[in-house]
Amino acid sequence: MTNIVGIDLGTTFSAISRVEEAGKPKIVPNKDGKNITPSVVEFLDDGSVLVGDEAKKSIGYNDENIVQEVKRSMGEDVTYERFGTTHTPITISSMILKKLKQDFEAVYGEITSVVVTVPANFSNDAREATKKAAELAGLKLEHTINEPTAAALAYALQSESNLNGKYAIYDLGGGTFDCTIATIKDKNIDVETSEGVNKLGGKDFDEKITEIVSSKYKEATGQDLDPKEFTPNDAEDIKISLSSKDSAKARVAGQVLDVTREEFEAATSTLITKAEMSVEAALRNVGIDASGIEDVILVGGSTRMPMVVESLKKMFGKEPKLFGNPDESVALGASIYAAHNTNSEDLNPLQRQQMQNFSLTEAAPFYFGTIYYNTDEGKTRVRNIINKDEKIPCEFTENFVTRHDNQTAVDCSVTQAGADLDDPDMVQIIWDGTLDLEGGYPAGQPIQITYGYKEDGTMTCRFKDVTSGAEKNIDLTIGSDGGKPLEDEFDPDAFQVD
Ligand code: ADP
Ligand code: MG
């Protein structure tokens, strides 16, 4: 049996989908029967590891042994010490993936091909880190797909009507917010732009609930709320109740406190405004206003909040579209993409038919440039080589010259920024190094810089001394200039994941 699957490795929840024999994608529940699995890992003192619902239940009680939200640190140099072992975002992610894999394989047998999703604005390092996590989990990951693109794919394949126009994908999950605009014509998806807020999601709304409850508790008792009496999970439960009811009861240390939706919405209106500002930025990038959007597609569990729907109705003048469960569409789309990438001989005729006639084009998520000396201004500046939203794959070359006679090296750098900036202090330097020159030449010797961005979201950079033909080629991959990554010493089998 072929098991073509897609995995949404989320900040707060993850999900796995399989393309069924009839060619349609379907979420596969975990062994507790849940369609989504919390991305929470708990280490126990007997050396075992809990992943998912059970680990999430310990939040607020066993926090020092819990690791969560590691997705925010993917590709960064972050470590977590638990019971004498050092973990990284990669090893923790591998445990989450292993749990999904185990629960899946207990029912269907071995996974034959898999795609894991990543946020559109994930850096090269974060993408590589995701691949490494999959490898440690024993998954043969050939492709990743950007989350909004996966959601658009699920929408395009499931939509009953003929799609034609620009669509906005509004993804408000547990930890992050993203808005993507894509042109969709039937099953052809062309991503135009993505904007987002890195730290805006359900967690921020939960915190506001905790603030409301704390102040009510103080008012009622004169005392401070003990965090163990009202955990982040309790706050989340209240928040979820308020999506379907006008008020909910918080039970805290013998007190019953009413929280109304009105109070909640007033306390979180600035969060919604932040998301609205991102949507406006995305529209500006594409050069259209809200009326140019055919439909808004809801993705992410937090879009179940009525205030999200209200905000979008106000901005776009129409109801946003909800198809299925908003926290499942990314995984569904990922499995469709996995099937799309599978050899067609490995698909049955029904699957093959479903996968026909669709295409995808992604857009570059950032401006990528280099730092050079601008003689006119007498200072260093950034020149962008790949612009944000450039259709990918793409490759661009810019020409520079040496500054001094008999120059023996040039500093090379790769910069990344969300906006078109020329101040080196405002951009992030994602790589730097030097290109050695032969020397003996006058100033003005040509240096050619070529950046390429591939379909899988990774980038290559080439710095070339045109005179001698010497090149510095950089594949921006993890650990390329650091020491031995910690993950190389990690033994996935030493951690029994449940
Ligand atoms: P991720 O960001 O990890 O991909 P999801 O898309 O699954 O996560 O969204 C998870 C968030 O959605 C959590 O903060 C959760 O509390 C929130 N959520 C789920 N259902 C509801 C609901 N009915 N009302 C409000 N928030 C919800
Ligand atoms: Mg998500």
Side-chain angles (χ1 to χ4, degrees):
M1 183 159 60
T2 51
N3 281 317
I4 300 164
V5 310
I7 295 179
D8 171 7
L9 180 60
T11 314
T12 57
F13 286 94
S14 296
I16 183 164
S17 162
R18 172 178 181 269
V19 175
E20 298 198 299
E21 307 309 313
K24 299 264 191 253
K26 199 170 173 215
I27 295 290
V28 176
N30 62 23
K31 77 174 195 287
D32 303 319
K34 300 264 179 64
N35 279 6
I36 55 175
T37 300
S39 304
V40 183
V41 174
E42 180 181 14
F43 292 91
L44 302 179
D45 48 16
D46 66 359
S48 57
V49 182
L50 295 177
V51 181
D53 288 298
E54 270 191 273
K56 184 170 161 62
K57 280 188 198 130
S58 301
I59 293 176
Y61 302 106
N62 189 25
D63 289 337
E64 59 280 12
N65 296 329
I66 288 175
V67 186
Q68 54 175 328
E69 292 176 58
V70 296
K71 188 173 177 180
R72 287 184 163 171
S73 309
M74 284 302 259
E76 290 171 16
D77 223 353
V78 176
T79 56
Y80 318 89
E81 295 286 337
R82 297 292 184 277
F83 296 108
T85 310
T86 306
H87 296 279
T88 66
I90 294 179
T91 61
I92 299 290
S93 298
S94 80
M95 292 174 182
I96 300 165
L97 290 169
K98 200 164 150 186
K99 155 82 176 167
L100 296 168
K101 177 178 187 281
Q102 270 175 12
D103 287 7
F104 178 96
E105 291 185 343
V107 180
Y108 288 102
E110 204 183 333
I111 291 174
T112 36
S113 70
V114 59
V115 162
V116 176
T117 66
V118 289
N121 67 359
F122 243 20
S123 68
N124 211 71
D125 283 352
R127 285 168 197 269
E128 293 297 335
T130 305
K131 287 183 195 158
K132 183 100 196 187
E135 186 192 312
L136 287 176
L139 292 166
K140 279 192 261 3
L141 182 68
E142 267 140 41
H143 298 273
T144 58
I145 183 173
N146 291 340
E147 285 157 14
T149 313
L153 197 51
Y155 181 67
L157 257 77
Q158 292 177 12
S159 176
E160 303 285 312
S161 48
N162 291 332
L163 306 181
N164 191 3
K166 293 197 176 0
Y167 293 77
I169 297 129
Y170 181 104
D171 181 356
L172 187 62
T176 50
F177 171 68
D178 285 301
C179 175
T180 293
I181 296 176
T183 299
I184 307 180
K185 177 143 186 15
D186 301 323
K187 293 179 190 173
N188 303 302
I189 297 158
D190 203 342
V191 175
E192 305 279 355
T193 194
S194 292
E195 285 287 338
V197 189
N198 259 338
K199 293 200 168 153
L200 176 65
K203 292 263 169 190
D204 301 288
F205 291 81
D206 299 347
E207 278 168 22
K208 292 287 176 193
I209 294 279
T210 303
E211 283 173 24
I212 295 170
V213 170
S214 304
S215 78
K216 290 198 173 202
Y217 184 78
K218 180 111 192 176
E219 213 172 282
T221 65
Q223 273 159 22
D224 287 335
L225 185 70
D226 174 356
K228 282 207 165 31
E229 296 284 359
F230 192 76
T231 67
N233 288 334
D234 297 328
E236 187 180 21
D237 288 346
I238 301 276
K239 174 190 75 177
I240 290 175
S241 297
L242 290 177
S243 288
S244 56
K245 298 195 302 188
D246 290 332
S247 87
K249 289 190 190 325
R251 290 171 206 281
V252 194
Q255 295 284 322
V256 180
L257 307 165
D258 274 312
V259 182
T260 67
R261 187 190 289 171
E262 211 178 328
E263 289 167 327
F264 177 48
E265 292 186 351
T268 53
S269 66
T270 53
L271 300 176
I272 294 291
T273 308
K274 276 193 201 165
E276 287 171 352
M277 286 163 65
S278 256
V279 174
E280 277 161 11
L283 291 169
R284 265 199 309 277
N285 291 351
V286 179
I288 56 172
D289 60 27
S291 64
I293 294 290
E294 215 59 45
D295 268 318
V296 182
I297 306 161
L298 295 175
V299 181
S302 298
T303 61
R304 291 202 181 91
M305 293 188 294
M307 65 178 117
V308 166
V309 174
E310 282 313 311
S311 146
L312 291 168
K313 275 209 308 224
K314 205 173 70 206
M315 282 187 95
F316 290 91
K318 57 189 152 209
E319 284 279 341
K321 291 264 155 118
L322 181 68
F323 66 106
N325 288 321
D327 34 22
E328 296 173 7
S329 47
V330 169
L332 294 172
S335 64
I336 297 168
Y337 189 59
H340 176 67
N341 288 319
T342 300
N343 237 331
S344 68
E345 301 96 78
D346 295 337
L347 302 177
N348 71 33
L350 280 172
Q351 290 171 331
R352 214 171 300 149
Q353 191 200 345
Q354 288 289 329
M355 294 311 138
Q356 264 164 13
N357 311 324
F358 78 76
S359 68
L360 281 181
T361 313
E362 289 282 2
F366 298 106
Y367 287 89
F368 295 101
T370 196
I371 298 174
Y372 72 106
Y373 187 81
N374 184 309
T375 349
D376 296 340
E377 293 183 64
K379 53 182 156 191
T380 54
R381 284 285 171 219
V382 175
R383 171 134 18 118
N384 286 319
I385 298 176
I386 294 180
N387 286 330
K388 177 175 156 74
D389 298 338
E390 203 68 67
K391 300 282 174 231
I392 51 183
C394 64
E395 189 179 90
F396 293 96
T397 298
E398 287 280 327
N399 295 301
F400 298 84
V401 291
T402 54
R403 252 180 94 196
H404 307 289
D405 290 341
N406 195 25
Q407 194 168 323
T408 54
V410 276
D411 290 333
C412 304
S413 59
V414 180
T415 64
Q416 173 184 301
D420 189 3
L421 303 166
D422 66 358
D423 180 350
D425 291 335
M426 303 284 285
V427 302
Q428 198 188 335
I429 296 170
I430 56 173
W431 183 87
D432 64 2
T434 48
L435 171 68
D436 292 329
L437 306 178
E438 281 176 1
Y441 292 98
Q445 190 184 340
I447 304 291
Q448 219 170 52
I449 306 185
T450 304
Y451 288 2
Y453 203 98
K454 290 183 287 192
E455 260 151 332
D456 64 0
T458 58
M459 203 168 113
T460 49
C461 306
R462 187 164 70 236
F463 296 83
K464 184 173 177 183
D465 169 9
V466 180
T467 317
S468 73
E471 289 182 4
K472 185 128 215 155
N473 286 291
I474 303 132
D475 216 339
L476 289 174
T477 48
I478 196 168
S480 52
D481 47 12
K484 190 172 154 78
L486 277 167
E487 296 76 27
D488 288 354
E489 277 146 32
F490 173 74
D491 173 11
D493 296 328
F495 292 89
Q496 199 51 46
V497 165
D498 194 19

